[in-house]
Amino acid sequence: MTDGHLPYPYGREMTGYETLDLDTTLAKAKAAGARVLVAPYSAADRRSAFVQFPGGYVAEIHATVRK
């Protein structure tokens, strides 16, 4: 949780969620009207993206990269 101390869009992130399949989850979110603020990127053992849902709710969604 960044608590608003980082620059946009990270400073608007309120919470994070883990999913088994990031691409499928992002497709479902987009179909529901969400907007991807930060495209999926890899860091360490996870892929993450930042998504803004209708109404302004921003969340980080991530999936563990299986080796």
Side-chain angles (χ1 to χ4, degrees):
M1 196 152 149
T2 61
D3 198 23
H5 291 128
L6 297 175
Y8 177 84
Y10 303 103
R12 294 181 59 189
E13 181 262 331
M14 300 300 289
T15 190
Y17 298 95
E18 183 171 14
T19 183
L20 294 176
D21 185 342
L22 182 62
D23 295 323
T24 299
T25 301
L26 291 177
K28 289 179 181 181
K30 286 190 232 178
R35 185 174 74 150
V36 176
L37 298 176
V38 178
Y41 62 93
S42 297
D45 63 343
R46 68 180 2 184
R47 285 184 66 227
S48 302
F50 281 84
V51 178
Q52 182 176 29
F53 292 92
Y57 180 73
V58 176
E60 180 260 354
I61 302 173
H62 61 269
T64 301
V65 175
R66 303 199 190 283
K67 296 178 182 182

